[in-house]
Amino acid sequence: MPELPEVEALREYLDEHLTGRVVERVLPVAVSVLKTYDPPLTALEGQTAGETARHGKFLALRIGGLHLVTHLARAGWLRWQDALPEQPPRPGKGPLALRVALRGGGGFDLTEAGTQKRLAVYVVRDPQEVPGIARLGPDPLDASFDRDAFAALLAGERRQIKGVLRDQGVIAGIGNAYSDEILHRARVSPFKLAASFDGEQVTQLYAAVQDTLREAVERAHGVAAGKLKAEKKSGLRVHGRAGEPCPVCGDTVRSVSFADSSLEYCPTCQTGGKPLADRRLSRLLK
């Protein structure tokens, strides 16, 4: 799933390649992708693209006086093409969900792999009209998101810290992969209750959030859209690396599987050497 660093890189890429271009056609391919109907997609045609904004994991492309907003969900992606196929796309079972063709040639496709179709597209006058954007918590890279603001979010949270970090209504932009990386860097169990952190632990976790995300954004800076997925994977230390040695201590990275996802962690670095039970209701290991 694209998270804050990858979406930020896509935003930069679109600013460079899309700004100032005129939208010729917008072609929906998957019926389920479009979540709004007024204004229609056709209202974007003939309009000039402006700057692209990021709201958590959402991209908001300003086109004329409207915004084309997309959430790439778990398996979605944006594929830029300097030359689009001459034949218009046909609805079917393939990954293509929506195509934006630009005047003068080229454009981009929104694609989604797999059978669970969750990629979403909205055409709105204001990005805040999108429910998912309206409920977002603060952006962790915003200048106002300091250590005290982070501490206030954790105070009173009786949930496990892994779930809190992933909750877009608490903090915008962090998903499954980077929450694993943040907790590994902070040397914290993913099952530790958020409200149980003392002042020093809050400071340590806040630093891990900032360092992990900013380093990932820097790695992704200037990377072509088509190479961002590979770049993300290459920079991960524990997520998706179950069975491999921890790069910090050499212990074996372990995994906890859930119904539709998993988390990875290092027992030595994060749980005092104790493996976490591989079930959803695992007890907190301190």
Side-chain angles (χ1 to χ4, degrees):
M1 174 186 291
E3 299 178 36
L4 186 155
E6 295 77 49
V7 177
E8 177 63 17
L10 287 173
R11 183 199 66 77
E12 291 182 350
Y13 189 88
L14 288 173
D15 261 356
E16 179 181 351
H17 291 78
L18 182 63
T19 302
R21 300 288 302 275
V22 176
V23 173
E24 185 73 32
R25 293 284 305 279
V26 183
L27 304 166
V29 180
V31 176
S32 61
V33 72
L34 188 60
K35 307 303 180 184
T36 56
Y37 301 94
D38 182 23
L41 278 173
T42 53
L44 302 174
E45 297 176 353
Q47 302 299 314
T48 302
E51 294 181 349
T52 298
R54 179 184 60 78
H55 302 271
K57 301 178 191 178
F58 289 83
L59 280 170
L61 290 62
R62 183 165 60 83
I63 301 176
L66 300 173
H67 299 266
L68 178 67
V69 179
T70 183
H71 188 283
L72 297 172
R74 172 172 295 182
W77 198 246
L78 185 148
R79 180 187 176 197
W80 183 270
Q81 299 191 74
D82 292 328
L84 293 171
E86 293 184 4
Q87 295 297 323
R90 295 182 178 181
K93 297 182 179 180
L96 182 58
L98 182 136
R99 172 167 291 169
V100 175
L102 302 175
R103 187 170 298 171
F108 63 88
D109 291 337
L110 295 179
T111 64
E112 186 173 23
T115 58
Q116 294 186 354
K117 302 301 183 182
R118 299 176 180 175
L119 188 149
V121 172
Y122 311 79
V123 179
V124 293
R125 296 173 180 84
D126 184 337
Q128 291 298 320
E129 296 175 23
V130 178
I133 292 179
R135 65 173 287 272
L136 287 176
D139 192 292
L141 298 187
D142 190 270
S144 64
F145 190 77
D146 57 16
R147 185 265 181 203
D148 290 341
F150 181 61
L153 294 178
L154 300 187
E157 273 283 2
R158 302 302 300 174
R159 292 181 292 165
Q160 296 168 349
I161 187 61
K162 168 78 174 181
V164 173
L165 290 177
R166 292 186 62 187
D167 187 337
Q168 300 304 293
V170 177
I171 305 173
I174 301 173
N176 196 29
Y178 287 110
S179 58
D180 281 353
E181 297 298 301
I182 288 166
L183 294 171
H184 178 255
R185 184 187 287 259
R187 304 179 73 87
V188 171
S189 166
F191 292 161
K192 182 177 175 64
L193 296 183
S196 69
F197 283 71
D198 61 27
E200 182 178 349
Q201 291 171 329
V202 170
T203 299
Q204 185 174 349
L205 183 59
Y206 173 75
V209 169
Q210 294 295 308
D211 292 345
T212 299
L213 295 179
R214 292 185 186 280
E215 288 176 10
V217 168
E218 182 61 29
R219 288 196 308 270
H221 178 71
V223 177
K227 298 181 179 180
L228 280 170
K229 289 184 179 181
E231 189 286 323
K232 175 182 179 179
K233 184 176 181 180
S234 70
L236 299 177
R237 300 192 296 178
V238 292
H239 183 79
R241 300 194 181 278
E244 299 180 20
C246 168
V248 174
C249 71
D251 193 3
T252 301
V253 174
R254 292 177 178 261
S255 179
V256 176
S257 298
F258 301 115
D260 59 354
S261 66
S262 66
L263 65 82
E264 280 76 46
Y265 70 100
C266 170
T268 295
C269 291
Q270 296 175 254
T271 61
K274 301 177 181 179
L276 300 175
D278 191 6
R279 62 181 186 273
R280 185 181 296 274
L281 299 179
S282 297
R283 295 178 61 186
L284 170 68
L285 298 179
K286 296 182 181 180

